Amino acid sequence: MNILKDFAEPGSFRDPSGFVFKYEGNLYRQINSSYQEHYDLFMDCLYDRLARDGLIVTHQDVTSLFLKDKKDCYKIIKPQEISVVSYPFEWSFSQLKDAALLVLKILKISLDSGMVLKDASAFNVLFENCNPIYIDTLSFEKYQNGSPWLAYQQFCRHFVAPLSLMSYKYLSLNKLMQIHLDGIPLD
């Protein structure tokens, strides 16, 4: 039984690579053993650059503070906490655009490092000191040469569709993201 899973945040349920949990008032993320190869590659070739450039939240490895209570657990990290949590449906047009450009910048850097973003959810971005910052450490995986970007459709639902609607119709159409949590349907 994985006791840490009992502390998992309700919104952290979709990723089989790990989950976010709160323990004694602090935020942590478990990295599952199934993600070990991708995580090690991410840490070896990409994390330092993204962290140095302020593109992704920094984190500390705190695995030693927790007993690994299940073979499922590879690492436990303590990510930098963001002071104010906001959501895409609350953002201005400029904020949503800045978040989209951040995701594309991270994608380019990732591809240059032999990795790719496996998802492109706007909910993986927050703002710290008015700057977008990527918060999902487990969104990176090894890139297979010649493969298409599997998260492209999600990027379109989360960024291109709402930005288009906001630009051509009404700025308040980003509120559609409240009822379409996986992005605005492209049809």
Side-chain angles (χ1 to χ4, degrees):
M1 182 171 159
N2 190 338
I3 295 170
L4 297 178
K5 191 77 168 170
D6 295 339
F7 296 98
E9 288 293 302
S12 182
F13 62 91
R14 292 174 63 172
D15 191 349
S17 302
F19 59 90
V20 174
F21 66 96
K22 277 206 169 184
Y23 183 73
E24 295 183 352
N26 293 305
L27 189 68
Y28 299 96
R29 171 167 246 164
Q30 175 173 307
I31 299 162
N32 292 338
S33 298
S34 61
Y35 189 70
Q36 178 177 349
E37 178 185 352
H38 298 291
Y39 180 77
D40 288 344
L41 182 62
F42 170 72
M43 291 303 295
D44 289 344
C45 71
L46 193 55
Y47 172 77
D48 287 337
R49 177 170 179 198
L50 295 177
R52 180 190 68 231
D53 293 348
L55 303 176
I56 193 168
V57 293
T58 57
H59 67 261
Q60 299 173 315
D61 185 332
V62 294
T63 307
S64 62
L65 299 178
F66 293 88
L67 292 175
K68 295 206 281 182
D69 58 337
K70 192 173 182 181
K71 65 178 183 170
D72 234 17
C73 180
Y74 174 57
K75 297 267 186 191
I76 306 287
I77 59 174
K78 184 177 187 300
Q80 155 199 349
E81 288 201 44
I82 304 300
S83 54
V84 177
V85 174
S86 62
Y87 301 100
F89 50 81
E90 300 172 324
W91 298 343
S92 68
F93 179 88
S94 295
Q95 286 177 300
L96 189 59
K97 177 182 159 194
D98 288 347
L101 292 172
L102 171 74
V103 169
L104 293 175
K105 183 175 187 174
I106 289 173
L107 174 64
K108 182 175 181 339
I109 293 168
S110 298
L111 289 169
D112 291 343
S113 300
M115 298 200 81
V116 67
L117 282 173
K118 68 179 179 178
D119 63 67
S121 171
F123 291 94
N124 287 341
V125 179
L126 290 177
F127 284 83
E128 182 75 338
N129 300 321
C130 299
N131 297 312
I133 189 164
Y134 203 78
I135 62 167
D136 191 357
T137 309
L138 304 184
S139 283
F140 302 86
E141 64 184 17
K142 185 177 180 179
Y143 176 65
Q144 300 298 321
N145 282 336
S147 297
W149 184 30
L150 297 178
Y152 176 69
Q153 187 179 54
Q154 186 180 38
F155 180 82
C156 290
R157 289 191 316 267
H158 281 252
F159 295 104
V160 176
L163 286 168
S164 296
L165 289 171
M166 291 170 76
S167 175
Y168 292 107
K169 289 294 180 186
Y170 304 104
L171 285 175
S172 61
L173 284 175
N174 68 327
K175 302 287 186 237
L176 287 171
M177 301 251 329
Q178 282 181 289
I179 56 173
H180 297 287
L181 294 178
D182 200 25
I184 296 174
L186 298 179
D187 57 345

